[in-house]
């Protein structure tokens, strides 16, 4: 029997394990997870009955294979969720689907609301062509935005950096209002220093033209209108947060005979003279343990992966060592009330703002975004009717001033910035807080990133090594694309294919898998 060793029990690693175990009876599967929980940055953290989603994870995919997979693990709801019952809201229901009030294994349908907080006003994200948008901007700014956009249509900039990418699609004025500072805060670099491929991957077909087309598609009720991912209005969400999907998947992997070793950090991979990986070494309980294998599937950061392989040539080693990452900190803040007014026509429990998350475009604070967990799922909050559970998100570098703050200092900063932004006006409404840190949350697109193709070419020469997932490919993938890289890797293993282009090509094309 062959043995597949999988590094990481996040979406990509667990998907690979499940696919191997269900599609072959001849491969033993062992997963190594550095932490004590599943899901990677898609985990759910529980704190005193309140749950936190690390970074906010909407479940939406244009890939039938992914949607079928999700439905197998967490079937779509057949009855309304608690907040929909309270408010009498109508939501799509699946005949025979589980009742979220009675069953745990269930996927909810949620309404997507993401807005930008700029100049103490809310703007839709992506920018919409509503009267309210123009009213918030004011006549002068609206005129400037319009002429700026027209100028961008006439004079296209070379898309050799992220700044030019955004300006070409939105105009310089809108870019400076809604993209420039947020992007710099997110990455710690100005957009002109960041590779344009990040925008191409994350924003894809979104532009002012796409927004206009979507508006007219709605007005004229165009059937089968194509919707850019950033414009979706509904998404799926596990009842207990994203980590629930991976907890369920891990349990299924073990039921199928797979082995998962937690608190096991892979530190080395041993390669022979034929350029084949023969074994890996992991640390557990202060000891180094070696295990041999036939196939190696890695979702660990490429920088660490290559750093742990012996006899890597100088150039690939240099490129891998220079790949940058952005780390993440979040402060869960439980408050008795939030002072942001709900001026929308969307009804919510306690009439709080309806947003899942809000992008903060304010140069007076370090806060990049905040989540309102109540709106993701009513089951994320212990006392939905009387408390609001908020996640303050900060983008940092491991070892910097923010990263080194203890929970008391971080809480003081977070609460003070909530007051600056008008989320609260009295610190006494804060009932509790909880801090979480995530290393290498975001693979970054600068420094040696522009040489990554050379590194990929080298990794592809190692015949039994398969790189999958966000950090495994140093690509800012969503969950569905991370899973798709594992689907492709497993297909290659089972077919014996040596060409790995299909694995690396996931989510590199705008139209990838958008049509069945």
């Amino acid at each position: 029997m062959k043995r597949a060793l999988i590094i990481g029990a996040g979406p990509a690693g667990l998907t690979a394990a499940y696919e191997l175990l269900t599609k072959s009876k001849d491969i033993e599967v062992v997963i190594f997870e550095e932490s004590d929980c599943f899901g990677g940055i898609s985990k759910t953290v529980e704190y005193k009955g309140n749950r936190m989603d690390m970074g906010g994870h909407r479940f939406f995919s244009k890939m039938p294979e992914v949607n079928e997979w999700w439905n197998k693990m967490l079937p779509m709801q057949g009855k309304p969720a608690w907040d929909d019952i309270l408010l009498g809201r109508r939501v799509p229901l699946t005949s025979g689907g589980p009742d979220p009030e009675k069953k745990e294994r269930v996927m909810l349908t949620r309404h997507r609301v993401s807005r930008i907080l700029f100049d103490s006003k809310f703007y839709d994200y992506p920018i919409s062509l509503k009267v309210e948008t123009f009213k918030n901007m004011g006549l002068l700014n609206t005129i400037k935005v319009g002429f700026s956009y027209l100028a961008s249509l006439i004079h296209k900039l070379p898309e050799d950096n992220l700044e030019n990418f955004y300006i070409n699609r939105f105009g310089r004025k809108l870019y400076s209002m809604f993209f420039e500072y947020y992007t710099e805060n997110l990455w710690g670099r100005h957009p002109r220093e960041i590779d344009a491929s990040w925008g191409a991957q994350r924003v894809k077909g979104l532009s002012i033209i796409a927004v206009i087309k979507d508006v007219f598609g709605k007005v004229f009720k165009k059937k089968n209108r194509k919707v850019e991912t950033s414009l979706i209005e509904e998404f799926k969400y596990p009842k207990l947060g994203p980590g629930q999907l991976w907890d369920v998947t891990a349990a299924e992997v073990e039921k199928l005979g797979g082995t998962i070793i937690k608190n096991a950090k892979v530190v080395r991979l041993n390669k022979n003279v034929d350029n084949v990986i023969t074994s890996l070494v992991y640390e557990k309980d202060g000891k180094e343990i070696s295990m041999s294998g036939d196939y190696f599937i890695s979702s660990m950061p490429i920088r660490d992966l290559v750093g742990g392989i012996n006899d890597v040539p100088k150039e690939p080693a240099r490129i891998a060592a220079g790949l940058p990452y952005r780390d993440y900190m979040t402060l869960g803040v439980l408050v008795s009330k939030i002072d942001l007014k709900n001026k929308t026509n969307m009804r919510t429990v306690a009439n709080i703002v309806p947003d899942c998350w809000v992008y903060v475009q304010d140069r007076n604070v370090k806060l990049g975004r905040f989540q309102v967990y109540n709106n993701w799922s009513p089951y994320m909050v212990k006392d939905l009717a009387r408390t609001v559970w908020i996640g303050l998100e900060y983008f940092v570098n491991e070892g910097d001033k923010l990263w080194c703050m203890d929970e008391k200092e971080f809480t003081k900063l977070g609460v003070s910035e909530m007051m600056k932004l008008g989320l609260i006006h009295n610190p006494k409404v804060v009932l509790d807080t909880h801090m979480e840190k995530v290393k290498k949350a975001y693979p970054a697109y600068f420094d040696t990133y522009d040489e990554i193709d050379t590194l990929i070419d080298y990794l592809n020469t190692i015949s039994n090594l398969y790189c999958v997932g966000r950090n495994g490919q140093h690509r800012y993938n969503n969950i569905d694309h991370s899973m798709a890289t594992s689907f492709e890797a497993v297909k290659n293993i089972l077919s014996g294919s040596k060409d790995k282009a299909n694995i690396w090509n996931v989510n590199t094309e705008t139209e990838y898998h958008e049509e069945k």
Side-chain angles (χ1 to χ4, degrees), residues 77-115:
Q77 68 186 89
K79 300 280 184 180
W82 175 234
D83 54 352
D84 295 322
I85 294 170
L86 281 176
L87 298 165
R89 285 190 307 215
R90 295 184 68 179
V91 290
L93 300 174
T94 300
S95 178
D99 181 349
E101 283 291 286
K102 296 176 182 175
K103 301 282 186 184
E104 296 293 90
R105 274 182 79 160
V106 56
M107 189 80 87
L108 308 177
T109 297
R110 307 303 290 173
H111 189 67
R112 173 202 179 279
V113 183
S114 299
R115 291 185 292 174

mmCIF file of all heavy atoms in Angstrom, residues 77-115:
data_model
loop_
_atom_site.group_PDB
_atom_site.id
_atom_site.type_symbol
_atom_site.label_atom_id
_atom_site.label_comp_id
_atom_site.label_asym_id
_atom_site.label_seq_id
_atom_site.Cartn_x
_atom_site.Cartn_y
_atom_site.Cartn_z
ATOM 1 N N GLN A 77 -29.969 24.349 4.714
ATOM 2 C CA GLN A 77 -31.074 24.414 5.668
ATOM 3 C C GLN A 77 -32.430 24.158 5.011
ATOM 4 O O GLN A 77 -32.690 24.586 3.896
ATOM 5 C CB GLN A 77 -31.088 25.779 6.360
ATOM 6 C CG GLN A 77 -31.444 26.955 5.461
ATOM 7 C CD GLN A 77 -31.297 28.299 6.155
ATOM 8 O OE1 GLN A 77 -30.224 28.894 6.127
ATOM 9 N NE2 GLN A 77 -32.370 28.787 6.761
ATOM 10 N N GLY A 78 -33.298 23.453 5.764
ATOM 11 C CA GLY A 78 -34.662 23.185 5.301
ATOM 12 C C GLY A 78 -35.682 24.008 6.059
ATOM 13 O O GLY A 78 -36.860 24.054 5.684
ATOM 14 N N LYS A 79 -35.220 24.654 7.140
ATOM 15 C CA LYS A 79 -36.083 25.508 7.973
ATOM 16 C C LYS A 79 -35.321 26.797 8.272
ATOM 17 O O LYS A 79 -34.098 26.844 8.193
ATOM 18 C CB LYS A 79 -36.417 24.806 9.297
ATOM 19 C CG LYS A 79 -37.144 23.477 9.143
ATOM 20 C CD LYS A 79 -38.612 23.677 8.891
ATOM 21 C CE LYS A 79 -39.338 22.334 8.847
ATOM 22 N NZ LYS A 79 -40.764 22.482 8.608
ATOM 23 N N PRO A 80 -36.046 27.863 8.670
ATOM 24 C CA PRO A 80 -35.370 29.133 8.938
ATOM 25 C C PRO A 80 -34.461 29.086 10.167
ATOM 26 O O PRO A 80 -34.691 28.306 11.096
ATOM 27 C CB PRO A 80 -36.522 30.118 9.176
ATOM 28 C CG PRO A 80 -37.771 29.410 8.795
ATOM 29 C CD PRO A 80 -37.495 27.950 8.846
ATOM 30 N N ALA A 81 -33.419 29.933 10.155
ATOM 31 C CA ALA A 81 -32.536 30.093 11.315
ATOM 32 C C ALA A 81 -33.231 30.979 12.350
ATOM 33 O O ALA A 81 -34.248 31.617 12.075
ATOM 34 C CB ALA A 81 -31.215 30.723 10.883
ATOM 35 N N TRP A 82 -32.652 31.053 13.540
ATOM 36 C CA TRP A 82 -33.282 31.738 14.663
ATOM 37 C C TRP A 82 -33.581 33.205 14.377
ATOM 38 O O TRP A 82 -34.685 33.697 14.657
ATOM 39 C CB TRP A 82 -32.400 31.608 15.903
ATOM 40 C CG TRP A 82 -32.864 32.366 17.120
ATOM 41 C CD1 TRP A 82 -32.157 33.259 17.848
ATOM 42 C CD2 TRP A 82 -34.150 32.280 17.749
ATOM 43 N NE1 TRP A 82 -32.904 33.749 18.891
ATOM 44 C CE2 TRP A 82 -34.142 33.158 18.855
ATOM 45 C CE3 TRP A 82 -35.318 31.551 17.483
ATOM 46 C CZ2 TRP A 82 -35.245 33.339 19.690
ATOM 47 C CZ3 TRP A 82 -36.419 31.723 18.317
ATOM 48 C CH2 TRP A 82 -36.376 32.601 19.406
ATOM 49 N N ASP A 83 -32.629 33.929 13.777
ATOM 50 C CA ASP A 83 -32.886 35.355 13.520
ATOM 51 C C ASP A 83 -33.948 35.547 12.440
ATOM 52 O O ASP A 83 -34.752 36.482 12.505
ATOM 53 C CB ASP A 83 -31.593 36.112 13.172
ATOM 54 C CG ASP A 83 -30.803 35.510 12.026
ATOM 55 O OD1 ASP A 83 -31.152 34.401 11.563
ATOM 56 O OD2 ASP A 83 -29.820 36.143 11.585
ATOM 57 N N ASP A 84 -33.999 34.634 11.464
ATOM 58 C CA ASP A 84 -35.039 34.729 10.435
ATOM 59 C C ASP A 84 -36.423 34.469 11.036
ATOM 60 O O ASP A 84 -37.408 35.100 10.640
ATOM 61 C CB ASP A 84 -34.755 33.730 9.303
ATOM 62 C CG ASP A 84 -33.475 34.064 8.553
ATOM 63 O OD1 ASP A 84 -33.205 35.263 8.341
ATOM 64 O OD2 ASP A 84 -32.723 33.139 8.209
ATOM 65 N N ILE A 85 -36.486 33.569 11.998
ATOM 66 C CA ILE A 85 -37.760 33.295 12.691
ATOM 67 C C ILE A 85 -38.201 34.538 13.463
ATOM 68 O O ILE A 85 -39.352 34.977 13.374
ATOM 69 C CB ILE A 85 -37.616 32.092 13.650
ATOM 70 C CG1 ILE A 85 -37.351 30.801 12.865
ATOM 71 C CG2 ILE A 85 -38.865 31.935 14.524
ATOM 72 C CD1 ILE A 85 -36.949 29.616 13.722
ATOM 73 N N LEU A 86 -37.260 35.129 14.212
ATOM 74 C CA LEU A 86 -37.582 36.310 15.027
ATOM 75 C C LEU A 86 -38.102 37.464 14.172
ATOM 76 O O LEU A 86 -39.020 38.186 14.575
ATOM 77 C CB LEU A 86 -36.328 36.788 15.781
ATOM 78 C CG LEU A 86 -35.913 36.043 17.043
ATOM 79 C CD1 LEU A 86 -34.606 36.604 17.574
ATOM 80 C CD2 LEU A 86 -36.989 36.130 18.118
ATOM 81 N N LEU A 87 -37.488 37.653 13.000
ATOM 82 C CA LEU A 87 -37.808 38.796 12.157
ATOM 83 C C LEU A 87 -38.842 38.496 11.075
ATOM 84 O O LEU A 87 -39.263 39.392 10.348
ATOM 85 C CB LEU A 87 -36.530 39.318 11.485
ATOM 86 C CG LEU A 87 -35.450 39.838 12.452
ATOM 87 C CD1 LEU A 87 -34.121 39.972 11.740
ATOM 88 C CD2 LEU A 87 -35.866 41.164 13.060
ATOM 89 N N GLY A 88 -39.222 37.231 10.983
ATOM 90 C CA GLY A 88 -40.172 36.854 9.944
ATOM 91 C C GLY A 88 -39.593 37.010 8.549
ATOM 92 O O GLY A 88 -40.312 37.268 7.583
ATOM 93 N N ARG A 89 -38.257 36.853 8.422
ATOM 94 C CA ARG A 89 -37.606 37.006 7.116
ATOM 95 C C ARG A 89 -37.764 35.732 6.289
ATOM 96 O O ARG A 89 -37.662 34.629 6.826
ATOM 97 C CB ARG A 89 -36.100 37.284 7.290
ATOM 98 C CG ARG A 89 -35.774 38.664 7.746
ATOM 99 C CD ARG A 89 -34.291 38.961 7.666
ATOM 100 N NE ARG A 89 -33.441 38.000 8.334
ATOM 101 C CZ ARG A 89 -32.307 38.301 8.975
ATOM 102 N NH1 ARG A 89 -31.897 39.570 9.025
ATOM 103 N NH2 ARG A 89 -31.575 37.372 9.543
ATOM 104 N N ARG A 90 -37.951 35.908 5.009
ATOM 105 C CA ARG A 90 -38.027 34.753 4.116
ATOM 106 C C ARG A 90 -36.637 34.459 3.559
ATOM 107 O O ARG A 90 -35.930 35.365 3.108
ATOM 108 C CB ARG A 90 -38.993 35.032 2.965
ATOM 109 C CG ARG A 90 -40.428 35.200 3.433
ATOM 110 C CD ARG A 90 -41.372 35.379 2.261
ATOM 111 N NE ARG A 90 -41.462 34.157 1.470
ATOM 112 C CZ ARG A 90 -42.238 34.044 0.389
ATOM 113 N NH1 ARG A 90 -42.956 35.070 -0.020
ATOM 114 N NH2 ARG A 90 -42.270 32.914 -0.293
ATOM 115 N N VAL A 91 -36.235 33.219 3.638
ATOM 116 C CA VAL A 91 -34.932 32.804 3.098
ATOM 117 C C VAL A 91 -35.138 31.558 2.240
ATOM 118 O O VAL A 91 -36.101 30.811 2.451
ATOM 119 C CB VAL A 91 -33.910 32.488 4.219
ATOM 120 C CG1 VAL A 91 -33.492 33.742 4.941
ATOM 121 C CG2 VAL A 91 -34.459 31.457 5.195
ATOM 122 N N PRO A 92 -34.243 31.317 1.267
ATOM 123 C CA PRO A 92 -34.350 30.090 0.464
ATOM 124 C C PRO A 92 -34.197 28.859 1.355
ATOM 125 O O PRO A 92 -33.295 28.802 2.194
ATOM 126 C CB PRO A 92 -33.184 30.201 -0.520
ATOM 127 C CG PRO A 92 -32.784 31.641 -0.507
ATOM 128 C CD PRO A 92 -33.112 32.153 0.848
ATOM 129 N N LEU A 93 -35.083 27.901 1.192
ATOM 130 C CA LEU A 93 -35.034 26.667 1.982
ATOM 131 C C LEU A 93 -34.959 25.473 1.044
ATOM 132 O O LEU A 93 -35.500 25.503 -0.054
ATOM 133 C CB LEU A 93 -36.266 26.557 2.885
ATOM 134 C CG LEU A 93 -36.473 27.685 3.909
ATOM 135 C CD1 LEU A 93 -37.802 27.517 4.632
ATOM 136 C CD2 LEU A 93 -35.328 27.746 4.901
ATOM 137 N N THR A 94 -34.273 24.421 1.492
ATOM 138 C CA THR A 94 -34.127 23.201 0.707
ATOM 139 C C THR A 94 -35.086 22.148 1.236
ATOM 140 O O THR A 94 -35.074 21.841 2.436
ATOM 141 C CB THR A 94 -32.677 22.679 0.785
ATOM 142 O OG1 THR A 94 -31.800 23.683 0.271
ATOM 143 C CG2 THR A 94 -32.504 21.399 -0.015
ATOM 144 N N SER A 95 -35.900 21.616 0.373
ATOM 145 C CA SER A 95 -36.864 20.600 0.785
ATOM 146 C C SER A 95 -36.149 19.406 1.422
ATOM 147 O O SER A 95 -35.213 18.850 0.846
ATOM 148 C CB SER A 95 -37.661 20.132 -0.439
ATOM 149 O OG SER A 95 -38.563 19.131 -0.071
ATOM 150 N N GLY A 96 -36.585 19.060 2.626
ATOM 151 C CA GLY A 96 -35.977 17.935 3.340
ATOM 152 C C GLY A 96 -34.671 18.265 4.034
ATOM 153 O O GLY A 96 -34.053 17.406 4.667
ATOM 154 N N GLY A 97 -34.226 19.543 3.905
ATOM 155 C CA GLY A 97 -32.970 19.949 4.550
ATOM 156 C C GLY A 97 -33.124 20.035 6.058
ATOM 157 O O GLY A 97 -34.238 20.132 6.580
ATOM 158 N N PRO A 98 -32.010 20.003 6.809
ATOM 159 C CA PRO A 98 -32.069 20.025 8.273
ATOM 160 C C PRO A 98 -32.588 21.351 8.832
ATOM 161 O O PRO A 98 -32.474 22.398 8.197
ATOM 162 C CB PRO A 98 -30.611 19.789 8.690
ATOM 163 C CG PRO A 98 -29.796 20.165 7.506
ATOM 164 C CD PRO A 98 -30.629 19.910 6.301
ATOM 165 N N ASP A 99 -33.131 21.290 10.030
ATOM 166 C CA ASP A 99 -33.617 22.462 10.758
ATOM 167 C C ASP A 99 -32.478 22.981 11.629
ATOM 168 O O ASP A 99 -32.036 22.296 12.551
ATOM 169 C CB ASP A 99 -34.805 22.049 11.629
ATOM 170 C CG ASP A 99 -35.404 23.212 12.411
ATOM 171 O OD1 ASP A 99 -34.791 24.299 12.449
ATOM 172 O OD2 ASP A 99 -36.484 23.022 13.007
ATOM 173 N N PRO A 100 -31.967 24.199 11.362
ATOM 174 C CA PRO A 100 -30.835 24.707 12.159
ATOM 175 C C PRO A 100 -31.148 24.890 13.641
ATOM 176 O O PRO A 100 -30.248 24.971 14.461
ATOM 177 C CB PRO A 100 -30.503 26.051 11.495
ATOM 178 C CG PRO A 100 -31.676 26.407 10.666
ATOM 179 C CD PRO A 100 -32.361 25.132 10.295
ATOM 180 N N GLU A 101 -32.418 24.927 13.979
ATOM 181 C CA GLU A 101 -32.804 25.019 15.393
ATOM 182 C C GLU A 101 -32.655 23.672 16.104
ATOM 183 O O GLU A 101 -32.599 23.616 17.328
ATOM 184 C CB GLU A 101 -34.251 25.512 15.516
ATOM 185 C CG GLU A 101 -34.426 27.000 15.284
ATOM 186 C CD GLU A 101 -33.809 27.828 16.406
ATOM 187 O OE1 GLU A 101 -34.380 27.887 17.501
ATOM 188 O OE2 GLU A 101 -32.716 28.398 16.191
ATOM 189 N N LYS A 102 -32.563 22.598 15.307
ATOM 190 C CA LYS A 102 -32.501 21.253 15.899
ATOM 191 C C LYS A 102 -31.228 20.481 15.542
ATOM 192 O O LYS A 102 -30.818 19.588 16.271
ATOM 193 C CB LYS A 102 -33.717 20.437 15.450
ATOM 194 C CG LYS A 102 -35.044 21.014 15.943
ATOM 195 C CD LYS A 102 -36.212 20.231 15.383
ATOM 196 C CE LYS A 102 -37.536 20.835 15.846
ATOM 197 N NZ LYS A 102 -38.702 20.161 15.219
ATOM 198 N N LYS A 103 -30.628 20.814 14.403
ATOM 199 C CA LYS A 103 -29.454 20.075 13.934
ATOM 200 C C LYS A 103 -28.227 20.974 13.889
ATOM 201 O O LYS A 103 -28.320 22.164 13.604
ATOM 202 C CB LYS A 103 -29.704 19.516 12.525
ATOM 203 C CG LYS A 103 -30.908 18.578 12.427
ATOM 204 C CD LYS A 103 -30.572 17.209 12.966
ATOM 205 C CE LYS A 103 -31.739 16.248 12.709
ATOM 206 N NZ LYS A 103 -31.488 14.927 13.298
ATOM 207 N N GLU A 104 -27.054 20.373 14.138
ATOM 208 C CA GLU A 104 -25.800 21.132 14.076
ATOM 209 C C GLU A 104 -25.221 21.149 12.660
ATOM 210 O O GLU A 104 -24.749 22.176 12.186
ATOM 211 C CB GLU A 104 -24.762 20.539 15.031
ATOM 212 C CG GLU A 104 -25.137 20.623 16.514
ATOM 213 C CD GLU A 104 -25.182 22.043 17.035
ATOM 214 O OE1 GLU A 104 -26.266 22.671 16.962
ATOM 215 O OE2 GLU A 104 -24.153 22.522 17.507
ATOM 216 N N ARG A 105 -25.275 19.999 11.988
ATOM 217 C CA ARG A 105 -24.670 19.898 10.656
ATOM 218 C C ARG A 105 -25.592 20.523 9.617
ATOM 219 O O ARG A 105 -26.426 19.860 9.009
ATOM 220 C CB ARG A 105 -24.371 18.439 10.298
ATOM 221 C CG ARG A 105 -23.036 17.969 10.808
ATOM 222 C CD ARG A 105 -22.725 16.545 10.397
ATOM 223 N NE ARG A 105 -22.250 16.422 9.022
ATOM 224 C CZ ARG A 105 -21.566 15.367 8.570
ATOM 225 N NH1 ARG A 105 -21.270 14.369 9.383
ATOM 226 N NH2 ARG A 105 -21.180 15.298 7.316
ATOM 227 N N VAL A 106 -25.439 21.819 9.438
ATOM 228 C CA VAL A 106 -26.314 22.527 8.512
ATOM 229 C C VAL A 106 -25.613 23.774 7.974
ATOM 230 O O VAL A 106 -24.862 24.439 8.689
ATOM 231 C CB VAL A 106 -27.662 22.891 9.189
ATOM 232 C CG1 VAL A 106 -27.447 23.700 10.455
ATOM 233 C CG2 VAL A 106 -28.586 23.652 8.247
ATOM 234 N N MET A 107 -25.860 24.057 6.698
ATOM 235 C CA MET A 107 -25.339 25.259 6.050
ATOM 236 C C MET A 107 -26.497 26.242 5.890
ATOM 237 O O MET A 107 -27.583 25.870 5.445
ATOM 238 C CB MET A 107 -24.754 24.892 4.677
ATOM 239 C CG MET A 107 -23.984 25.986 3.984
ATOM 240 S SD MET A 107 -22.284 26.181 4.612
ATOM 241 C CE MET A 107 -21.374 24.993 3.610
ATOM 242 N N LEU A 108 -26.255 27.492 6.280
ATOM 243 C CA LEU A 108 -27.280 28.525 6.188
ATOM 244 C C LEU A 108 -27.107 29.348 4.915
ATOM 245 O O LEU A 108 -26.004 29.448 4.378
ATOM 246 C CB LEU A 108 -27.189 29.481 7.390
ATOM 247 C CG LEU A 108 -27.177 28.862 8.790
ATOM 248 C CD1 LEU A 108 -27.000 29.960 9.835
ATOM 249 C CD2 LEU A 108 -28.445 28.070 9.055
ATOM 250 N N THR A 109 -28.194 29.958 4.451
ATOM 251 C CA THR A 109 -28.110 30.960 3.384
ATOM 252 C C THR A 109 -28.167 32.323 4.054
ATOM 253 O O THR A 109 -29.099 32.610 4.816
ATOM 254 C CB THR A 109 -29.280 30.825 2.397
ATOM 255 O OG1 THR A 109 -29.198 29.551 1.758
ATOM 256 C CG2 THR A 109 -29.206 31.920 1.332
ATOM 257 N N ARG A 110 -27.178 33.170 3.799
ATOM 258 C CA ARG A 110 -27.114 34.483 4.446
ATOM 259 C C ARG A 110 -27.089 35.598 3.403
ATOM 260 O O ARG A 110 -26.606 35.408 2.292
ATOM 261 C CB ARG A 110 -25.854 34.584 5.328
ATOM 262 C CG ARG A 110 -25.697 33.463 6.321
ATOM 263 C CD ARG A 110 -26.884 33.332 7.253
ATOM 264 N NE ARG A 110 -26.983 34.441 8.197
ATOM 265 C CZ ARG A 110 -28.004 34.617 9.023
ATOM 266 N NH1 ARG A 110 -29.041 33.798 9.002
ATOM 267 N NH2 ARG A 110 -28.011 35.642 9.857
ATOM 268 N N HIS A 111 -27.576 36.750 3.814
ATOM 269 C CA HIS A 111 -27.593 37.909 2.929
ATOM 270 C C HIS A 111 -26.254 38.631 3.052
ATOM 271 O O HIS A 111 -25.800 38.910 4.159
ATOM 272 C CB HIS A 111 -28.737 38.851 3.307
ATOM 273 C CG HIS A 111 -28.959 39.947 2.316
ATOM 274 N ND1 HIS A 111 -29.421 39.700 1.027
ATOM 275 C CD2 HIS A 111 -28.764 41.280 2.387
ATOM 276 C CE1 HIS A 111 -29.509 40.837 0.373
ATOM 277 N NE2 HIS A 111 -29.107 41.820 1.167
ATOM 278 N N ARG A 112 -25.640 38.919 1.908
ATOM 279 C CA ARG A 112 -24.324 39.560 1.927
ATOM 280 C C ARG A 112 -24.474 41.070 2.024
ATOM 281 O O ARG A 112 -25.085 41.701 1.173
ATOM 282 C CB ARG A 112 -23.566 39.222 0.642
ATOM 283 C CG ARG A 112 -22.249 39.967 0.480
ATOM 284 C CD ARG A 112 -21.860 40.000 -0.983
ATOM 285 N NE ARG A 112 -20.629 40.727 -1.192
ATOM 286 C CZ ARG A 112 -20.539 42.044 -1.261
ATOM 287 N NH1 ARG A 112 -21.611 42.785 -1.096
ATOM 288 N NH2 ARG A 112 -19.371 42.629 -1.460
ATOM 289 N N VAL A 113 -23.910 41.634 3.092
ATOM 290 C CA VAL A 113 -23.805 43.087 3.207
ATOM 291 C C VAL A 113 -22.383 43.407 3.647
ATOM 292 O O VAL A 113 -21.959 43.012 4.736
ATOM 293 C CB VAL A 113 -24.802 43.676 4.234
ATOM 294 C CG1 VAL A 113 -24.694 45.204 4.243
ATOM 295 C CG2 VAL A 113 -26.228 43.260 3.919
ATOM 296 N N SER A 114 -21.623 44.062 2.770
ATOM 297 C CA SER A 114 -20.279 44.526 3.104
ATOM 298 C C SER A 114 -20.209 45.974 2.664
ATOM 299 O O SER A 114 -20.501 46.269 1.507
ATOM 300 C CB SER A 114 -19.212 43.714 2.369
ATOM 301 O OG SER A 114 -19.281 42.360 2.730
ATOM 302 N N ARG A 115 -19.839 46.855 3.560
ATOM 303 C CA ARG A 115 -19.779 48.271 3.184
ATOM 304 C C ARG A 115 -18.438 48.872 3.590
ATOM 305 O O ARG A 115 -17.645 48.266 4.316
ATOM 306 C CB ARG A 115 -20.929 49.039 3.840
ATOM 307 C CG ARG A 115 -22.286 48.655 3.273
ATOM 308 C CD ARG A 115 -23.416 49.505 3.833
ATOM 309 N NE ARG A 115 -23.656 49.266 5.240
ATOM 310 C CZ ARG A 115 -24.520 49.968 5.987
ATOM 311 N NH1 ARG A 115 -25.204 50.951 5.435
ATOM 312 N NH2 ARG A 115 -24.691 49.687 7.268
#
